């Protein structure tokens, strides 16, 4: 828990963060991290490939989504940058020309790195639940796993865990089968 005498971080702190860093305010504290490493970037590109056409464009799938990489979210006092986020088009019809988004996404995905796993799991998951993000995916490139969380009441609960080369239908994108092997295809063998 943050020291009450300690100054709460502000958006000005985010703007002053070193160039090339991702800056977030979580529970009143400024957190900075370097740009993600190769496995993280490769998995993010794979997710964009498998979700983009069927869900953004409606090619081979239902469409109906706005999907963004690393959007800056302002959720109350928290400033968070998930690796990916998605909004159903009935809630966000177009992408506005803004630096950050205040509309809570319907889905977020955090891709774990050794330096961010603790923050993603312990600090960001409760924030997503508090702001009613309905679906959260946590992807671990090194372990080759996908964890799917679903909002039930005021908490996010682990709904399913998948690994390696499984084929599955994962909420909220269960209209199309996802082949997990695509996510790890360009990574070094385990």
């Amino acid at each position: 828990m943050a020291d009450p005498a300690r100054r709460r971080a502000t958006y000005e702190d985010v703007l002053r963060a070193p160039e090339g860093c991702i800056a977030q305010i979580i529970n009143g504290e400024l957190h900075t991290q370097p740009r993600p490493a190769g496995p993280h970037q490769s998995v993010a590109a794979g997710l964009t490939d498998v979700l983009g056409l069927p869900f953004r464009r409606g090619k081979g799938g239902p469409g109906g989504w706005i999907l963004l990489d690393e959007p800056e979210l302002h959720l109350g006092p928290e400033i968070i940058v998930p690796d990916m986020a998605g909004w159903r088009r009935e809630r966000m019809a177009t992408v506005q020309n803004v630096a950050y988004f205040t509309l809570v996404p319907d889905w977020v995905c955090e891709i774990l790195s050794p330096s961010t796993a603790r923050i993603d799991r312990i600090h960001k998951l409760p924030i997503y639940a508090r702001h009613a993000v309905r679906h959260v995916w946590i992807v671990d490139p090194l372990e080759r796993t996908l964890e799917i969380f679903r909002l039930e009441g005021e908490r996010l609960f682990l709904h399913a865990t998948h690994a390696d080369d499984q084929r599955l239908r994962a909420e909220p994108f269960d209209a199309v089968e996802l082949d997990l092997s695509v996510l790890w295809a360009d990574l070094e063998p385990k």
Side-chain angles (χ1 to χ4, degrees), residues 72-85:
E72 184 174 302
L73 304 177
H74 288 218
L75 305 177
E78 315 292 348
I79 298 174
I80 298 179
V81 181
D83 294 303
M84 296 179 75

Side-chain angles (χ1 to χ4, degrees):
M1 182 171 221
D3 178 356
R6 193 172 182 176
R7 182 183 77 81
R8 291 185 64 84
T10 68
Y11 192 51
E12 290 302 315
D13 297 315
V14 170
L15 295 175
R16 284 194 296 264
E19 191 173 323
C21 283
I22 296 172
Q24 305 178 92
I25 296 176
I26 300 170
N27 299 322
E29 294 184 20
L30 179 68
H31 293 262
T32 59
Q33 62 197 51
R35 302 300 308 165
H40 181 288
Q41 291 176 6
S42 181
V43 167
L47 277 169
T48 298
D49 289 346
V50 299
L51 298 177
L53 284 176
F55 294 98
R56 284 185 73 200
R57 302 289 174 232
K59 294 183 180 181
W65 284 83
I66 297 283
L67 299 172
L68 299 176
D69 293 331
E70 297 183 349
E72 184 174 302
L73 304 177
H74 288 218
L75 305 177
E78 315 292 348
I79 298 174
I80 298 179
V81 181
D83 294 303
M84 296 179 75
W87 293 260
R88 294 182 188 274
R89 285 195 186 267
E90 58 263 18
R91 294 187 58 243
M92 181 193 285
T94 59
V95 178
Q96 303 161 346
N97 185 16
V98 295
Y100 58 84
F101 299 89
T102 58
L103 181 63
V104 173
D106 295 292
W107 167 81
V108 297
C109 179
E110 295 290 356
I111 302 168
L112 301 181
S113 297
S115 63
T116 65
R118 183 175 177 82
I119 289 170
D120 291 340
R121 288 183 178 284
I122 295 173
H123 299 290
K124 290 171 87 173
L125 271 177
I127 292 168
Y128 292 140
R130 204 166 41 246
H131 291 279
V133 175
R134 297 181 51 83
H135 302 277
V136 176
W137 289 8
I138 293 184
V139 180
D140 188 331
L142 301 180
E143 294 298 321
R144 292 174 166 80
T145 59
L146 165 62
E147 295 173 290
I148 301 167
F149 292 82
R150 179 192 306 150
L151 186 67
E152 295 177 15
E154 297 179 358
R155 293 188 51 207
L156 283 162
F157 288 93
L158 181 61
H159 174 66
T161 302
H162 303 280
D164 302 319
D165 61 355
Q166 282 185 277
R167 299 177 74 86
L168 60 127
R169 293 186 180 268
E171 294 181 351
F173 303 109
D174 49 353
V176 173
E177 185 176 71
L178 172 63
D179 177 359
L180 284 185
S181 69
V182 170
L183 303 183
W184 337 118
D186 296 330
L187 300 181
E188 293 177 348
K190 256 175 135 175

